Amino acid sequence: MAGQNYITSSCVISNNAVRKDGRELFAVEAGNTVDFLTEAYKQSGINYSRFYKMDNLSKLGWLASELLLQDIFTKENYRPEEVGVVLSNSNASLDVDLRYMESVRDIASPSLFVYTLPNIVTGEICIRNGFKGEDAFFVFDKFNASFIETYVSNLLDNGNLQACICGWVDFIGNDYKAALFLVEKIETENGLPFTAENMDKLFEDKPKEHGVFIAGVGIISAIGNNVAETLASFEAEHAGMGDITGMDTIHKGELPVAEVKLSNEQLARMTGLPQNISRTTLLGLVAAQEALQDAAIPDIDQWRTGFVSANTVGGMDKSEAFFVDFIKDNDKGKLRNIFDHECGSVTEKVAKELDITNYMTTISTACSSSANAIFYAARLIKNDVLDIVIAGGTESLTKFTLNGFNTLMILDKEFCKPFDENRHGLNLGEGAGYLVLVSDRVAETLTKPLYCKLSGYNNSNDAYHQTASSPDGTGSYLAMEKALKKAGLSTNDIDYINLHGTGTPNNDSAEGTAIKRLFDPYYPPMSSTKSFTGHTLGASGGIEAVFSVLAIKHGFIYPNLRFETQMEELPFSPETKFSKGNEIDHVMSNSFGFGGNCTSLIFSRI
């Protein structure tokens, strides 16, 4: 049975000061955070030989935990497995990434190796104190007191723990904050009930959230080589599917695809890149260049600019071509010629051409990849790591993906018809779509009107199956619900939904079920633009984000081509005709990937 739990001690470190249980222990005059931590370590009178070997995030978390427990906590009252540590922050160990990037700034096309061990912070606290209970670390945009309350309360109420250190530890450059709470089942004289409200009060001095605005868009797909051509295809209701022409495959004439109507030679001339580079890179550069040109940011070098890009196939098209001859005769080529065909190499090549060196990274989470890239970019801006981010994704058609999806038996031999009762599968497509996201500080300097803002986003994973969505659409529902919550909107506020809508029986049923559960009885206009572009996999979230942004600017609602029969289990149907001049203030864009990786973005009029 659940009982009352209490905050028996708190420690907050920020602004060169250390406070415990609401009173200041000491303050330190320091030129930077590292100096502050070193001096605070000395003033605390705590000796720990491992301190100087830790990364800065661990130093901050460990110091806060030592001061939290000092003079208040009796370890002997608990067995080691009865005490846990549950912490969170906004960017894991991003400070380590940034210092790494700085150290390799002069190296050509550096890769970003993400430091993925935030649990080292909780680990150091456990090692120092001999705790062996729950050890967890979560990443949020900001301190999520409600989640921490629920998570830790369950551990205590279910008897998994008798005491827990929980809270927030964040360190990026010279911005830092630690707010830790000791929670026990016992009531003390100065203790407070363990609630989200009380944690928020103790946390105090929350950092101001920065706005994230869309300043530019760029796209290339089967329905257009730029934004203007794309809009013309929508208005003419002209789809991009057709027979395979760009691949030498046994499925020619059997499986339709949505190809970009340019050869590699033409793309190379457009970009200035060599023809022997991967098509994924060529497509990505075309769209990213258009987005940057559209944003028209003067003196962009004065800002901290990053590139966050997504794809799932990398240079697979070039690897496939290489091995055809190499397998027959290994004198026909050198393996070193394909060593850089991984997903990250695409990002590096495009970033180099865009002259972006402050930050770059690659996200590959199947069909939600570029939607995740966009909201990761937003978080980098909101947390004041970057001022400008070009974010989205790129993907080329390859035999690898065509054969893989054909093996899954989810390709339609006709042009796909998402959300139709008689749908049979998807058509693969290719292309790239990017947004230029800017902070409020950058936005204030621009003379060209902004498109809109990114007001909400969420990624949720139901982990139901390696490829299939859960039948009840759990991941889809959570992604949409939490994106709305972040945006501060209700379902009635959404004016258009760009559906993930692949056309497979499983996906459309799961997404539709989730929409019914969340939006019933009000259903805004919605459609799947994959009925035009095909499913561009890792690029789809970026391409459809561009469509969503343009919908707000022009009042567009896109049609769901070839729709005939409403799905029996759903009380709504998608739009079937293109319309413009609509009042559209908020657009939701869904991107749901393999493994249950579901993401929803919400764009809003400024």
Side-chain angles (χ1 to χ4, degrees), residues 562-580:
R562 297 175 294 280
F563 176 84
E564 295 176 342
T565 307
Q566 182 175 315
M567 291 171 58
E568 289 182 358
E569 69 265 38
L570 300 181
F572 59 85
S573 296
E575 299 298 306
T576 58
K577 290 295 180 182
F578 177 81
S579 65
K580 55 186 177 180

Side-chain angles (χ1 to χ4, degrees), residues 41-288:
Y41 160 72
K42 292 176 182 177
Q43 288 205 31
S44 67
I46 304 170
N47 181 28
Y48 189 25
S49 61
R50 290 170 62 93
F51 179 86
Y52 289 103
K53 298 178 181 179
M54 297 180 197
D55 64 78
N56 292 322
L57 186 68
S58 296
K59 286 180 181 179
L60 179 64
W62 171 76
L63 179 65
S65 70
E66 289 295 305
L67 295 170
L68 176 78
L69 300 177
Q70 202 173 47
D71 303 324
I72 191 76
F73 187 70
T74 305
K75 296 180 188 176
E76 288 72 21
N77 290 342
Y78 301 102
R79 290 180 287 117
E81 58 270 21
E82 292 178 336
V83 185
V85 181
V86 177
L87 301 180
S88 63
N89 75 8
S90 64
N91 281 300
S93 296
L94 184 59
D95 181 65
V96 175
D97 294 345
L98 296 175
R99 285 187 285 124
Y100 166 76
M101 287 296 290
E102 185 66 30
S103 71
V104 296
R105 181 173 296 279
D106 296 329
I107 300 175
S109 191
S111 295
L112 176 61
F113 296 96
V114 180
Y115 189 77
T116 56
L117 297 174
N119 272 54
I120 197 170
V121 183
T122 56
E124 287 289 351
I125 296 172
C126 291
I127 291 170
R128 167 71 170 170
N129 294 281
F131 300 149
K132 297 182 179 179
E134 180 85 358
D135 173 6
F137 194 105
F138 299 94
V139 181
F140 297 106
D141 277 344
K142 55 187 178 181
F143 178 54
N144 191 331
S146 296
F147 175 85
I148 294 295
E149 178 194 357
T150 301
Y151 189 88
V152 173
S153 294
N154 285 337
L155 292 171
L156 293 166
D157 296 342
N158 294 333
N160 301 94
L161 297 178
Q162 298 299 312
C164 187
I165 297 169
C166 60
W168 178 266
V169 183
D170 216 0
F171 187 108
I172 305 174
N174 282 323
D175 294 329
Y176 67 95
K177 176 125 188 186
L180 268 57
F181 313 99
L182 173 62
V183 184
E184 300 179 84
K185 293 186 174 184
I186 59 172
E187 184 174 7
T188 60
E189 183 179 351
N190 298 315
L192 296 169
F194 178 51
T195 64
E197 182 181 8
N198 283 334
M199 278 192 287
D200 274 328
K201 288 179 181 178
L202 291 167
F203 185 86
E204 66 191 21
D205 298 328
K206 293 183 180 179
K208 174 182 176 292
E209 274 207 1
H210 298 279
V212 178
F213 302 92
I214 312 304
V217 296
I219 190 170
I220 183 170
S221 74
I223 60 172
N225 301 326
N226 50 49
V227 170
E229 292 180 11
T230 298
L231 294 183
S233 291
F234 273 128
E235 193 155 3
E237 298 187 5
H238 176 69
M241 289 79 163
D243 290 335
I244 298 170
T245 64
M247 292 185 293
D248 184 15
T249 169
I250 60 173
H251 299 299
K252 275 187 177 181
E254 174 193 355
L255 297 173
V257 294
E259 296 174 322
V260 169
K261 309 305 188 285
L262 293 173
S263 67
N264 283 5
E265 290 76 13
Q266 291 171 306
L267 290 169
R269 285 197 296 271
M270 289 175 63
T271 59
L273 291 174
Q275 294 183 18
N276 64 349
I277 206 164
S278 77
R279 188 170 175 85
T280 311
T281 302
L282 293 168
L283 294 170
L285 184 55
V286 169

Side-chain angles (χ1 to χ4, degrees), residues 351-414:
K352 183 178 180 180
E353 292 299 314
L354 299 176
D355 197 27
I356 294 174
T357 58
N358 291 121
Y359 187 91
M360 73 183 90
T361 193
T362 305
I363 291 179
S364 189
T365 55
C367 309
S368 59
S369 298
S370 47
N372 287 334
I374 289 167
F375 93 65
Y376 180 63
R379 292 177 60 187
L380 291 170
I381 290 173
K382 279 181 173 289
N383 286 285
D384 199 26
V385 176
L386 296 173
D387 304 300
I388 302 167
V389 186
I390 298 90
T394 179
E395 201 86 280
S396 65
L397 283 165
T398 68
K399 289 187 283 187
F400 172 78
T401 46
L402 185 69
N403 293 336
F405 276 80
N406 191 46
T407 300
L408 291 172
M409 296 184 289
I410 55 175
L411 294 180
D412 196 336
K413 293 185 177 181
E414 305 295 332

